[in-house]
Amino acid sequence: SISKEEEDKERKKLEDDLGDNIIVDTVPEGLVLRLGEILFDTDSYNLKSESKETIDNIINAIKKNYPDREIIVQGHTDNTGREDYNKTLSERRAKTVADYILPNLNHDKLSYSGFGDKEPIAPNDTAEGRRKNRRVAVSYTTLRAHETKATIVCRLLLEKHK
């Protein structure tokens, strides 16, 4: 895993490299790139052609700076519509982005999931809040692609007992 200072430095570098279309957040598992609704039309999981450049920038950042990191793609929706519909839509959007990214990685450590409206980042009672909640997030974990959490725990325990 990496230190807080290294993580902050990585976040700042990504913000500079990726521009204004992507919000970079730090979470316990690593870094999250929040792409918002720029990727899809309403009620669609077909990637907008103009969004491909944004995802290509992310792919280039992955290949340049994080070639051995696990990548997680998560889809989210606002709370309008039926719960089961939102869940399916969020999964399909996450899969669309994952399918676009995967052929460009040098490993296959990529997963995706959809959460529907279960993990909002803003209140759903305003148009602005709902807009923020319609998003896809791409996460870089602090794990290397060949490591698992169990591997890191074992390594840390061994280092502690040396």
Side-chain angles (χ1 to χ4, degrees), residues 62-128:
I62 292 169
K63 289 168 72 172
K64 178 181 173 187
N65 302 305
Y66 313 104
D68 59 352
R69 297 282 177 90
E70 178 181 357
I71 308 301
I72 302 166
V73 181
Q74 298 176 330
H76 302 272
T77 65
D78 61 25
N79 69 348
T80 58
R82 293 185 337 269
E83 185 175 334
D84 61 332
Y85 177 82
N86 286 340
K87 174 86 164 111
T88 300
L89 180 61
S90 66
E91 288 171 352
R92 288 178 174 166
R93 286 179 171 181
K95 182 180 183 329
T96 297
V97 173
D99 287 347
Y100 188 85
I101 292 173
L102 185 59
N104 296 290
L105 295 181
N106 296 327
H107 62 78
D108 64 353
K109 198 76 167 169
L110 184 142
S111 61
Y112 68 90
S113 55
F115 293 92
D117 63 358
K118 298 303 179 196
E119 295 186 1
I121 58 171
N124 274 304
D125 56 358
T126 66
E128 176 66 14

Side-chain angles (χ1 to χ4, degrees), residues 2 4 6 9-10 18 27 46 48 51 53 73 79 93 98 100 119 128 147-148 155 161:
I2 62 174
K4 173 82 169 110
E6 289 172 313
K9 184 178 176 183
E10 285 184 16
L18 296 174
V27 296
N46 296 316
K48 289 181 177 180
S51 300
E53 182 179 344
V73 181
N79 69 348
R93 286 179 171 181
Y100 188 85
E119 295 186 1
E128 176 66 14
E147 292 183 309
T148 65
R155 182 171 41 81
H161 292 288

Side-chain angles (χ1 to χ4, degrees), residues 4-65:
K4 173 82 169 110
E5 293 78 24
E6 289 172 313
E7 200 169 75
D8 288 342
K9 184 178 176 183
E10 285 184 16
R11 183 184 47 74
K12 176 69 174 123
K13 183 175 181 345
L14 275 175
E15 287 173 344
D16 293 343
D17 289 347
L18 296 174
D20 297 332
N21 288 339
I22 300 170
I23 298 167
V24 182
D25 285 331
T26 304
V27 296
E29 297 82 15
L31 297 174
V32 176
L33 310 177
R34 301 191 195 284
L35 288 96
E37 64 186 73
I38 62 167
L39 303 176
F40 307 95
D41 288 322
T42 302
D43 291 330
S44 171
Y45 58 92
N46 296 316
L47 200 57
K48 289 181 177 180
S49 59
E50 62 267 23
S51 300
K52 292 179 181 179
E53 182 179 344
T54 300
I55 299 173
D56 287 340
N57 289 339
I58 291 171
I59 292 167
N60 290 334
I62 292 169
K63 289 168 72 172
K64 178 181 173 187
N65 302 305

